[in-house]
Amino acid sequence: MKLESIESFADEWVGFVRVKTECGLEGWGQVSTYNADITVQVLHRQVAPWMLGEELDELDHVLDRVTEREHKFPGSYLRRAMAGVDTAIWDARGKEAGKPVVELLGGRPGPLRAYASSMRRDVTPDEEAGRLARLRDAHGFDAFKIRAGAEVGRDQDEWAGRTEEIIPTVRRVLGPDMDLLIDANSCYSADRAIEIGRILEDWGYCHYEEPCPYWDLEQTRKVCRTLTIDVTGGEQDCELANWRRIVEGRVVDIVQPDILYVGGLSRALRVARMASGKDIPVTPHCANLSMVTLFTMHFLKALPNAGNYLEFSIEGPEYYPWQYGLFLESPYGVDDGCVTVSERPGWGVDINPEWLARSAYQVSRA
């Protein structure tokens, strides 16, 4: 398979990618959300030249070649751009084989347990607990994630006492049988993270995400080795060398690669294989309802070391207005706390042509 063209359709928030091959196949993927209009510039200037016309049977080799040829530009934007082409190639592969991507990976379509993931810190503990209870009753969720501290907060809370109040409040309202997860988004020093972690352990929480600044692996390792609750992280990490340090050093109990931050499905699979070698589960980050959650559904259904659930954002149009109207039919229905991976070939979704018509278009050709 060789690429004849790479097209992008983008606005500030979302960037879809369509690849066409020399033999007439096409596939759809996506660059990472947020500043997608910038990311597609990187795609056409720094990724497309190294992928167009190349034989793609060894996709890992081609992706490594992109990073080598662009070695002066390590970091997030290049990987976010690579992800758009990678995920589109997987869609084309699935359509060529007449199979969903999950089957190409050795898994099977079907139901997948999800946890309801809150993105908000601007709600009171009572308000948060109430809306989670309504989601439990309406959709059958049995696992929920809330937010601790302030984002990259230097040990500060969103407001004084919020975290110490929300931890017991959510447990009391949802009851003893729910899995409860919490995300600190790089808020705490190690000592403060351990203090909060003890409270979480007392209230039966099971997942403590990114407690310390994500770039400071030593602080996170200290928290991980001190607490009994599972310490998790890795969503921001896009360098495979850094992932080796995280896995081999057992910095966290559960790894959380984001398929679009890390550079695509192929590179996320490499992280999962690293983790499997150390018996570490994978619970990926996928915090919105663009294609990233769909990619993650296929990924998780195929992993031997998959974590317990899929992250599923519960935020509506007042928080994520841009994630609506992307597809002709949403792939994200929730029934009895589960989403379903479709049997349709590729990613099994159709991009809304009206959205595409409103977007900014670019093309690179071999």
Side-chain angles (χ1 to χ4, degrees):
M1 179 187 290
K2 294 183 179 181
L3 297 186
E4 183 178 75
S5 65
I6 300 171
E7 300 168 279
S8 65
F9 306 79
D11 62 16
E12 177 183 352
W13 303 100
V14 179
F16 292 121
V17 175
R18 179 168 62 187
V19 299
K20 294 182 179 179
T21 72
E22 292 178 345
C23 59
L25 290 170
E26 71 174 46
W28 285 93
Q30 186 191 309
V31 301
S32 187
T33 49
Y34 307 109
N35 292 332
D37 52 343
I38 298 174
T39 304
V40 297
Q41 299 296 326
V42 177
L43 166 66
H44 289 287
R45 185 170 297 181
Q46 295 182 271
V47 177
W50 311 117
M51 298 194 74
L52 287 166
E54 294 295 315
E55 180 55 61
L56 299 174
D57 289 346
E58 296 294 331
L59 185 52
D60 280 336
H61 170 75
V62 177
L63 294 170
D64 284 348
R65 192 75 174 131
V66 173
T67 64
E68 291 163 7
R69 299 307 300 172
E70 297 294 335
H71 64 276
K72 291 186 180 292
F73 298 91
S76 181
Y77 270 112
L78 186 67
R79 277 66 180 175
R80 287 167 178 247
M82 290 163 56
V85 185
D86 170 271
T87 52
I89 289 168
W90 279 101
D91 188 48
R93 286 175 168 179
K95 290 171 178 174
E96 181 181 35
K99 296 179 179 180
V101 171
V102 64
E103 289 191 1
L104 301 183
L105 303 176
R108 299 291 301 170
L112 176 66
R113 184 186 180 198
Y115 72 81
S117 185
S118 169
M119 306 295 158
R120 295 178 60 181
R121 288 179 166 85
D122 60 345
V123 292
T124 68
D126 286 337
E127 290 169 340
E128 185 74 295
R131 74 171 183 146
L132 298 182
R134 290 190 292 274
L135 287 165
R136 175 199 60 196
D137 297 343
H139 299 289
F141 287 110
D142 62 2
F144 302 85
K145 187 170 80 179
I146 60 173
R147 302 280 155 167
E151 188 171 0
V152 197
R154 298 190 175 193
D155 283 338
Q156 299 301 305
D157 212 339
E158 192 71 8
W159 61 79
R162 179 183 182 274
T163 295
E164 289 88 345
E165 183 181 354
I166 200 170
I167 291 168
T169 298
V170 169
R171 173 57 77 194
R172 290 190 189 106
V173 170
L174 295 182
D177 299 327
M178 299 289 115
D179 280 6
L180 296 184
L181 302 76
I182 199 162
D183 189 346
N185 292 112
S186 293
C187 180
Y188 301 122
S189 63
D191 290 344
R192 180 58 175 155
I194 290 166
E195 291 176 2
I196 297 298
R198 297 298 190 200
I199 301 171
L200 294 169
E201 291 173 344
D202 289 343
W203 286 96
Y205 282 64
C206 62
H207 167 123
Y208 190 11
E209 186 168 335
E210 204 175 281
C212 301
Y214 72 85
W215 56 90
D216 194 332
L217 301 185
E218 290 302 323
Q219 286 201 69
T220 302
R221 183 187 288 111
K222 178 181 178 180
V223 176
C224 181
R225 292 181 178 180
T226 302
L227 299 175
T228 59
I229 187 175
D230 282 337
V231 173
T232 77
E235 72 178 70
Q236 316 292 352
D237 289 286
C238 62
E239 297 282 1
L240 295 181
N242 209 45
W243 272 110
R244 282 192 290 273
R245 289 191 286 273
I246 291 169
V247 170
E248 291 173 8
R250 298 199 70 94
V251 172
V252 292
D253 297 301
I254 298 171
V255 297
Q256 297 189 271
D258 182 302
I259 288 174
L260 295 187
Y261 293 174
V262 80
L265 178 63
S266 302
R267 286 165 60 89
L269 286 165
R270 292 165 76 174
V271 172
R273 287 193 291 269
M274 290 181 204
S276 180
K278 297 291 185 179
D279 296 319
I280 298 174
V282 181
T283 302
H285 173 263
C286 52
N288 62 75
L289 300 183
S290 66
M291 288 183 86
V292 65
T293 295
L294 181 61
F295 301 152
T296 307
M297 289 160 58
H298 287 252
F299 179 54
L300 274 176
K301 285 287 285 181
L303 290 184
N305 56 328
N308 292 328
Y309 11 59
L310 168 83
E311 180 172 21
F312 190 88
S313 171
I314 60 173
E315 304 307 341
E318 73 287 348
Y319 191 90
Y320 283 145
W322 48 264
Q323 73 179 7
Y324 293 89
L326 301 176
F327 312 116
L328 286 180
E329 184 176 346
S330 173
Y332 297 133
V334 180
D335 183 37
D336 198 23
C338 293
V339 294
T340 299
V341 178
S342 167
E343 297 181 354
R344 292 181 59 192
W347 298 121
V349 71
D350 297 309
I351 311 300
N352 185 349
E354 293 183 1
W355 189 95
L356 296 174
R358 295 192 300 269
S359 68
Y361 174 77
Q362 295 181 71
V363 61
S364 295
R365 302 187 189 279

